[in-house]
Amino acid sequence: MVKKVWRAMEKYQYDPIELSLMERSCVPLAVYQYIDKQIVTLAISDGFLDLFEISDREYAINIIRKDLYYGCHPDDLAMLENAANLFASGERPYNIVYRTKIAGKYKILHARGVHVQKDDAKIELVWFSDEGDYQEEGEQKGDFLAAAYSNLLRANTQERLLQYDYLTGLPTINHFFCLCDTNFYPKSVEKGETPVMLFFDMSGMKHYNAKYSFAEGDKLIHAFARLLAQTFGSDCCSRFGMDRFCAYTNDKDLEDRLWKFFSDCEGINGGKSIPVRVGIYSKDIEVCGASFACDRAKMACDSSRTKYLSHFTWFDKSMLEDAEKRQYIVNNIDRAIAENWIKVYYQPIIRAANGRVCDEEALSRWIDPERGFLSPADFIPILENANLAYKLDLFVLEEVLKKLEAQVKAGLYIAPNSVNLSRSDFDACDIVQEVNKRVVASKIPPSKITIEITESILGSDFEYMKSQIKRFQELGFNVWIDDFGSGYSSLEVLHDVKFNLIKFDMKFMQNFDTSERSKIMLSGLIKIAAELGIETVCEGVETEEQVEFLKEIGCTKLQGYYYCKPIPLEEILDRYDKGIQIGFENPDESEYYASIGRINLYNLSVITNSNEDNYRNVFNTPPMVIIECDKKEARAVRGNKSYRLFAKKHFGRRILEHGVNIQKAENRRAALFVEAVQKCKQSAAPLIIDYHLESGENVHIYLRRISVNPVTKVAALVAVVLGFEE
C-alpha cells in the first residue's frame, strides 16, 4: 500500500504594522492558526497581558506554546479543549464560559472567537471578557452576575460528568451510542456514506504506568484522546474505558487515515507513546445499532492482541465462533484445572552426543468433557489474551515439581524440565516470584526447572523482559529462548540477553527436504550459538537424516517424534518397568557430553582454538570424527559425511565403529596410530600424525583431546583428516 505524504501548513506572517496594531490593543485578544492539527499563537494584545496579569509578551507566548489551557480549572479543561478543537476544525463557533486561575485565584472568563481568512491561511481571533471572581458553593458576594455564572459552571460540571468522560472530555459510551444512533447514522445515510465503527486499544498501558507512573499514564491517555478527537471529531469518539476508545466514521480513505493516525500517535506526549490496535466493523450498523457495531469492532481488535505494533483488523464472521470458544475457555479454566481436565505431558529432549534424555519439555493438553480434545493452539492464545495464562503455567509448574519428586522416589535420574511462560504471565502477576516460591517450597533445585520464553514476546518491552530474565537466572533458573527463527529474529537479542540455550523453530525441519537455504541458515545460527557458548536444540525432528545432519553441525540437543511424542508421567514410568525407555542422562556427565555435542563437524575451528593458523582452510569439510577412548579400546561416536565416505573407500567399513583395541596393534601402521591415541589421551596437546594407507597414500591426521568424562574417565578425541599425499 502506498501511504500518502502529509505536508504541514506554513505559519502565517503578519505585516509588522498590522501586528503592532493588534499587540497595542486594549481588548484582551489572542490570534491563533491551526497548523497540522496544532494550535499556534500568532499574536496577543496588551489587553490580554493585562487580563492574565502577565508582564512580558514573549513569556506569555511561551506559556501558551507549552500549555494552551494554562491555569484552566480541572473541571472545565475537557470542555475547553473540546470547544477549542471543534472551533479550530470549523465544526462549531467559539463561545464558552470557563474558570481560569489568575494571580492565585479563579476568575470567570467568557471567550468568543471567529475565523478570518488571510490570503491562503485561516486565522482564529479569540477575545475574552472578565465576568468576575469564581464563587464556591455557599459563598455570599454582591457580584450577582459572577454568582450566576458560578452556579451555572457547577451545574454544567455535574451534567457533563453524566455525558462526558472527566479525563478526556469525550462523550461517555452511552451518550456516544445515543449520538451515533440518532445523529451520526442519519447524516451518513443522507450523504450516501458507508458508516464504520472503530475500536482502539492501546498496547502495553500497564507497563507504561509501571515505568513512568499513573500520572504519566493519564497524560498519555489524555493526549491520545485529543488526537482521536482531532482526527475523527470530538463528538464522534468515546472513551470505552481505561485505555480503550471507539469512534464513528465512514470508509472513505479509511486505511490511509489510520496509517496517518498511527504516525501521529508516535509523536504525542513528547514521543512517550505506545502502539495501538484498531478493530473495524462496517456492516449492518443501521440494523444492529452502535452498541452492537462497537462490540463487533472490539472483537476484531481483540483478535490480534499478540501483535505489538500499531495495526488494524477488519471484522469477519469467523470471529463470532472464535468469540464463543474464547468465552468458554475463559469461563472454564479454573474448573478445568480443579477437575483435572488439563493433563501435563512431557516430551524428551535428547543429547546429541549420547542419545540420552537430557531435558524434558512440559506441555499441557485439555481433555474437555463436552468438547473433547482441545489443542494448545486453541486455548493458550485465548488464556494469554485474557491475562489468565499464568493460572495454566503455574499449574503446569506444580505438576512438573510433583513429577520430578516422583522420579526421585523411583530411583531415576532427573533431567531439567522446561516450562513455557507467556507474555501475559508477566502482566498478570510477578511471575518470577510466583515460580520461585513454588520451587523453593519443593525439594527440587531451581537448576532442574528451565524457563522457556518465546522470541516474539521480547519485543513488547525489551528492557523489562531483559530484567525479568536476569531475575530468573540470578535465582538459579536456566532461561531458553523458544521458537527462534519463527519471526523476524534479531541476532542482537543474543548479544543483549544471556540465554542459556536457543531452541530453533520446527519450520527448519519442515523445510529440511525442500530448502537448502534452511539448512545453510540453521548451520550458521548454530555455529554462532556455539561460538557464544550457548547450547542449541532443534524441535520437530522426525527422520534419521535430520538427526545425522543436526549432529554434524553441532546442534547439542534434539527434540521431536523421531525419538518420542509427548507422554504423561505414568507412561514414562511404565517404559522403565518394561525396559523400553530411552534413559535419562547422568547429570554428572552432562557437561562432558555438552562439550562433545557442540563440535561442528563441518567447521575446522575445533582445531584452531590456539595459534595453529597453518591448519585453517585446509578443507571446507574435511573428514572429521569424534573418538572415545577408555583403557582398552577406541571407538567412533560421531562422524560427518566426509568421514563416512573416507572410511568406506579406504577401509571398506566405518573405521573405529566397533572399536579398536589400543593395547595391541595388528601391524606397524596400526601401532603408530594407537601410540598417537594413547599419547593424545594423556595430554591436551594436539598431535599431527601420518598414516600410511594400503593404497600407498599418506594421510595427515590431526588429533586433539576434547574432554574427559568425570564419571567413567573416558577421554573424547577429535580426529581430522587434513590431507593426502603420494
Side-chain angles (χ1 to χ4, degrees), residues 298-328:
K298 180 179 182 298
M299 200 176 292
C301 181
D302 290 344
S303 70
S304 60
R305 290 187 65 177
T306 57
K307 297 181 181 179
Y308 293 101
L309 296 174
S310 293
H311 64 279
F312 51 80
T313 305
W314 291 81
F315 174 84
D316 65 61
K317 291 184 178 179
S318 66
M319 294 176 183
L320 292 174
E321 296 177 5
D322 293 339
E324 192 275 331
K325 182 196 298 180
R326 181 166 55 249
Q327 196 60 47
Y328 181 85

Side-chain angles (χ1 to χ4, degrees), residues 482-539:
D482 191 14
D483 292 340
F484 193 81
S486 60
Y488 295 97
S489 305
S490 172
L491 293 178
E492 194 172 332
V493 169
L494 304 182
H495 176 271
D496 292 338
V497 183
K498 308 299 182 184
F499 290 104
N500 301 99
L501 178 144
I502 300 171
K503 179 182 276 193
F504 291 102
D505 188 72
M506 65 175 59
K507 75 174 185 180
F508 287 106
M509 292 299 97
Q510 292 169 347
N511 298 331
F512 185 83
D513 295 327
T514 59
S515 173
E516 285 298 318
R517 292 172 64 89
S518 182
K519 295 179 184 178
I520 293 169
M521 290 171 59
L522 185 58
S523 298
L525 290 170
I526 288 177
K527 180 177 182 293
I528 291 171
E531 292 178 352
L532 291 173
I534 304 174
E535 287 204 274
T536 52
V537 59
C538 197
E539 56 185 349

Side-chain angles (χ1 to χ4, degrees), residues 687-726:
L687 291 175
I688 295 179
I689 65 170
D690 291 337
Y691 188 90
H692 298 283
L693 302 174
E694 291 181 357
S695 62
E697 293 175 299
N698 189 37
V699 182
H700 304 297
I701 300 176
Y702 175 98
L703 283 172
R704 182 173 74 84
R705 193 182 73 193
I706 300 170
S707 188
V708 176
N709 189 316
V711 177
T712 64
K713 308 306 177 184
V714 168
L717 283 63
V718 60
V720 184
V721 177
L722 298 177
F724 301 83
E725 64 181 16
E726 295 293 335

Side-chain angles (χ1 to χ4, degrees), residues 273-305:
S273 185
I274 53 179
V276 57
R277 301 188 305 274
V278 182
I280 308 172
Y281 182 75
S282 64
K283 296 179 181 179
D284 302 327
I285 293 181
E286 70 279 13
V287 176
C288 61
S291 175
F292 184 86
C294 183
D295 183 62
R296 295 292 174 88
K298 180 179 182 298
M299 200 176 292
C301 181
D302 290 344
S303 70
S304 60
R305 290 187 65 177

